[in-house]
């Protein structure tokens, strides 16, 4: 890479010593492509659409795989149905960290800087049953993408919010784990996203460091005593990495926790706090840093009395409960004739979140009631709570699946008025309803594939 900022280059030479040449050489190699399977939707089986390009497994994430080339993911219905997420391999290490700290007890987790959803989708798949993830993003446009990606991933024990870290002050000691994948100077993305090189400057390193401290100060109280903070960045800059971990330990009642490393290609940071670097000349992946911190003090969480109107929950209507797995642990809410299904045990906490924060999605928005009829909604097709055996399914071939995803008409033989779950390689894509001579395509229009479909695929 010839256009690296000289100040970055000289700092990296000092930081890496004899390894620096290998590091700069790695930056000239193409960025590896990797994906992570959705354990529930795929049951660990690589989708047929990727079989011919799967290379090897990633080192620390059992669901992670490298691909030998980058396909057009938009044109893979399995991707559209949430069978896998395209994620850079180093950052899948967060799943390994989670395994060190979560056991069988359900936990509440806050992923504070979550868009577009890589760590959130990884995290929710790693949580024990009955856990809840709050997946937050402060920037509105990015929060929309986060919501879409989390709905596609299909785990519905998730609340998506669009808030500033300071807005979480009402949730003192509410979370067992807080993940701060902080906005940073992004040096680890130089290879994957060369445009980020132009945004780098030394002044910005200070801006990033100060913002990271502000975010951590705002959010620290939300962590329970003995709870864990996972801090990560995609930069090599010690000022945003190990120095931030040291600062947390000085600033709060906190201790840095070491982890035993699954590979000797991971480089422990050079500091009094335990942090782990991922350099592209050593690990197959992009630049990444993370560390684990445990909170020592704090108050127990006492939910405030809910000031706003109570939303009453009620048993799930039979037309819906027959479509759901484990419906006995779920409950329903009806707001303006839209029925949302949520985990019974988190109903009160979700209400609290909704009264204090800008919640953009929670549970599974399953159906709309109109004229005493029920209209099934897209999140129900995508949720892992859906019992596909109870649905009338239409298994589409690739051209039909793509036309469906482009929101075009497809022909399906079914009873008039019947709700049909359109699937591709048994991955649910969305709903259709037969109107006699044609299928009404219920894919929301904002979800449709916008690119032209190549003629050889349709
Ligand atoms: N965790 C994400 C993933 O795995 O897909 C990537 C997160 S990215 C490294 C950092 C995120 O922090 C961005 O989405 C950015 O919009 C958000 N962000 C920017 N400024 C912020 C702030 N002041 N407070 C909290 N989050 C912020």
């Amino acid at each position: 890479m010839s256009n690296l900022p000289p100040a970055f280059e000289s700092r990296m030479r000092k930081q890496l010593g004899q390894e620096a040449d290998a590091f700069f050489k790695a930056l000239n190699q193409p960025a590896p492509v990797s994906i992570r399977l959705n354990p529930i939707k795929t049951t660990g089986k690589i989708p047929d659409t990727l079989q011919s390009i799967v290379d090897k497994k990633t080192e620390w994430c059992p669901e992670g795989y490298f691909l030998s080339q980058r396909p057009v993911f938009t044109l893979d219905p399995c991707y559209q149905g949430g069978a896998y997420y395209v994620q850079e391999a180093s950052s899948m290490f967060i799943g390994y960290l989670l395994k060190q700290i979560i056991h069988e007890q359900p936990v509440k987790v806050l992923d504070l800087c979550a868009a577009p959803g890589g760590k959130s989708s990884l995290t929710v798949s790693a949580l024990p049953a009955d856990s809840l993830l709050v997946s937050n993003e402060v920037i509105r446009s990015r929060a929309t993408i986060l919501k879409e990606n989390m709905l596609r991933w299909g785990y519905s024990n998730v609340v998506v919010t669009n808030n500033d870290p300071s807005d979480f002050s009402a949730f003192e000691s509410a979370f067992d784990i807080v993940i701060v994948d902080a906005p940073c100077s992004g040096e680890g993305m130089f290879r994957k996203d060369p445009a980020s090189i132009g945004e780098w400057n030394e002044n910005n390193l200070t801006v990033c460091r100060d913002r990271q401290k502000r975010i951590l100060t705002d959010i620290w109280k939300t962590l329970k005593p003995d709870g864990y903070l996972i801090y990560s960045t995609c930069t090599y800059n010690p000022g945003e990495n190990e120095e931030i971990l040291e600062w947390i330990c000085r600033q709060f009642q906190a201790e840095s926790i070491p982890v035993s490393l699954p590979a000797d290609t991971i480089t422990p940071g050079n500091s009094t706090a335990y942090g782990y670097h991922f350099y592209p000349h050593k690990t197959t992946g992009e630049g990444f840093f993370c560390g684990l911190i445990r909170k020592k003090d704090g108050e127990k969480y006492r939910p405030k009395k809910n000031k706003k109107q109570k939303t009453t929950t009620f048993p799930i209507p039979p037309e819906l409960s027959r479509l759901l797995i484990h419906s006995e642990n779920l409950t329903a809410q009806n707001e303006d004739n839209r029925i949302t299904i949520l985990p019974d045990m988190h109903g009160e906490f979700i209400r609290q979140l909704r009264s204090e924060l800008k919640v953009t999605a929670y549970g599974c928005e399953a159906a709309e009631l109109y004229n005493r009829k029920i209209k099934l909604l897209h999140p129900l097709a995508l949720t892992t709570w859906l019992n596909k055996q109870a649905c009338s399914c239409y298994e589409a071939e690739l051209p039909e699946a793509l036309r469906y995803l482009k929101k075009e008409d497809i022909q399906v033989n079914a009873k008039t008025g019947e709700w049909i779950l359109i699937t591709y390689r048994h991955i649910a894509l969305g709903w259709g309803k037969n109107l006699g001579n044609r299928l009404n395509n219920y894919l929301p229009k904002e979800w449709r594939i916008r690119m032209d479909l190549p003629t050889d695929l349709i």
Side-chain angles (χ1 to χ4, degrees):
M1 238 168 217
S2 54
N3 55 343
L4 291 174
F8 168 73
E9 216 173 314
S10 71
R11 197 198 77 222
M12 288 310 293
R13 286 208 176 274
K14 265 198 224 125
Q15 203 167 317
L16 292 174
Q18 290 180 340
E19 290 182 19
D21 284 339
F23 169 78
F24 290 115
K25 198 168 154 203
L27 290 192
N28 284 318
Q29 306 298 314
V33 183
S34 47
I35 56 107
R36 183 171 38 76
L37 299 182
N38 184 322
I40 296 189
K41 294 196 179 193
T42 61
T43 55
K45 197 172 156 284
I46 297 162
D48 295 354
T49 48
L50 297 182
Q51 283 287 355
S52 64
I53 53 169
V54 162
D55 196 353
K56 57 174 183 175
K57 272 191 161 219
T58 59
E59 279 167 290
W60 33 82
C61 175
E63 290 85 27
Y65 290 86
F66 292 103
L67 304 182
S68 58
Q69 52 178 269
R70 190 177 186 90
V72 183
F73 290 112
T74 306
L75 295 177
D76 181 0
C78 294
Y79 167 75
Q80 297 285 354
Y84 60 91
Y85 190 95
V86 185
Q87 187 176 29
E88 182 292 293
S90 304
S91 58
M92 296 181 197
F93 189 72
I94 294 293
Y96 179 85
L97 282 186
L98 284 165
K99 280 199 191 122
Q100 315 304 306
I101 55 175
I102 49 182
H103 306 289
E104 282 161 18
Q105 289 298 323
V107 284
K108 284 198 190 85
V109 181
L110 168 62
D111 183 8
L112 184 71
C113 312
K119 316 273 181 325
S120 273
S121 56
L122 174 71
T123 299
V124 73
S125 294
L127 297 183
D130 296 331
S131 297
L132 186 80
L133 172 71
V134 178
S135 180
N136 176 68
E137 168 58 42
V138 63
I139 296 176
R140 193 152 63 129
S141 56
R142 290 179 60 83
T144 305
I145 297 164
L146 173 67
K147 175 180 166 181
E148 186 171 315
N149 282 337
M150 292 312 288
L151 290 179
R152 177 176 283 136
W153 195 245
Y155 285 63
S156 300
N157 53 334
V158 176
V159 178
V160 182
T161 57
N162 173 210
N163 284 87
D164 185 84
S166 59
D167 297 340
F168 284 85
S169 59
F171 294 92
E172 196 165 328
S173 302
F175 295 100
D176 302 275
I177 300 170
V178 173
I179 301 170
V180 176
D181 187 28
C184 67
S185 55
E187 296 168 352
M189 289 292 123
F190 282 179
R191 174 168 69 172
K192 201 171 156 200
D193 174 20
S196 62
I197 299 173
E199 285 156 29
W200 189 95
N201 63 62
E202 282 182 284
N203 185 38
N204 193 33
L205 302 184
T206 317
V207 172
C208 288
R209 185 202 61 197
D210 291 348
R211 183 167 52 206
Q212 287 147 1
K213 288 182 178 175
R214 211 167 45 241
I215 290 172
L216 288 161
T217 306
D218 281 341
I219 215 66
W220 182 253
K221 281 193 168 175
T222 66
L223 200 53
K224 280 183 188 165
D226 294 325
Y228 288 94
L229 169 78
I230 294 178
Y231 177 78
S232 61
T233 70
C234 58
T235 199
Y236 308 113
N237 173 26
E240 299 171 69
N241 291 338
E242 41 269 77
E243 287 172 28
I244 289 284
L245 296 182
E246 287 172 344
W247 175 83
I248 296 171
C249 295
R250 281 197 309 275
Q251 189 74 9
F252 309 112
Q253 287 291 316
E255 59 184 339
S256 166
I257 305 290
V259 287
S260 66
L261 294 177
D264 57 11
T265 51
I266 303 169
T267 311
N270 185 16
S271 80
T272 56
Y274 302 98
Y276 304 100
H277 282 280
F278 295 70
Y279 290 113
H281 63 290
K282 297 182 80 177
T283 58
T284 316
E286 299 315 299
F288 183 64
F289 174 87
C290 61
L292 187 60
I293 298 279
R294 196 165 68 87
K295 182 175 189 168
K296 294 200 261 186
D297 69 352
E299 291 263 308
K300 251 195 139 22
Y301 174 58
R302 277 188 299 272
K304 281 204 253 163
K305 284 267 172 271
N306 204 337
K307 339 171 240 219
K308 296 200 179 152
Q309 97 281 6
K310 283 225 166 203
T311 319
T312 43
T313 54
F314 63 97
I316 304 171
E319 307 95 296
L320 285 179
S321 68
R322 70 173 193 86
L323 299 179
L324 296 167
I325 301 168
H326 303 311
S327 60
E328 67 282 3
N329 299 329
L330 303 172
T331 188
Q333 262 182 15
N334 181 347
E335 277 180 14
D336 302 328
N337 288 327
R338 285 176 93 83
I339 299 185
T340 301
I341 312 289
L342 52 151
D344 204 6
M345 65 181 294
H346 293 299
E348 194 48 49
F349 187 63
I350 291 175
R351 258 193 296 283
Q352 177 82 11
L353 290 164
R354 293 186 68 212
S355 76
E356 303 284 345
L357 301 173
K358 187 171 161 202
V359 169
T360 62
Y362 65 101
C364 172
E365 198 177 34
E368 201 180 315
L369 302 176
Y370 67 102
N371 298 339
R372 298 204 184 153
K373 287 196 196 130
I374 206 157
K375 175 185 164 192
L376 303 185
L377 297 177
H378 197 51
L380 180 66
L382 298 178
T383 181
T384 57
W385 291 343
L386 183 71
N387 179 4
K388 281 192 279 179
Q389 265 81 46
C391 303
S392 297
C393 293
Y394 177 76
E395 174 66 14
E397 293 297 325
L398 182 63
E400 288 172 302
L402 288 174
R403 287 209 315 277
Y404 173 81
L405 290 166
K406 215 166 156 40
K407 206 165 166 52
E408 291 176 0
D409 284 347
I410 60 171
Q411 296 292 328
V412 171
N413 266 338
K415 279 190 269 166
T416 302
E418 190 178 24
W419 284 98
I420 313 288
L421 183 70
I422 310 297
T423 63
Y424 176 73
R425 309 287 164 108
H426 307 291
I427 301 292
L429 304 181
W431 298 110
K433 193 175 184 185
N434 211 332
L435 296 182
N437 54 351
R438 69 181 180 89
L439 182 92
N440 217 359
N441 184 334
Y442 277 89
L443 187 85
K445 71 172 183 313
E446 61 279 13
W447 283 72
R448 74 191 187 285
I449 296 179
R450 281 149 214 257
M451 66 185 283
D452 288 337
L453 299 177
T455 45
D456 60 324
L457 290 185
I458 45 173

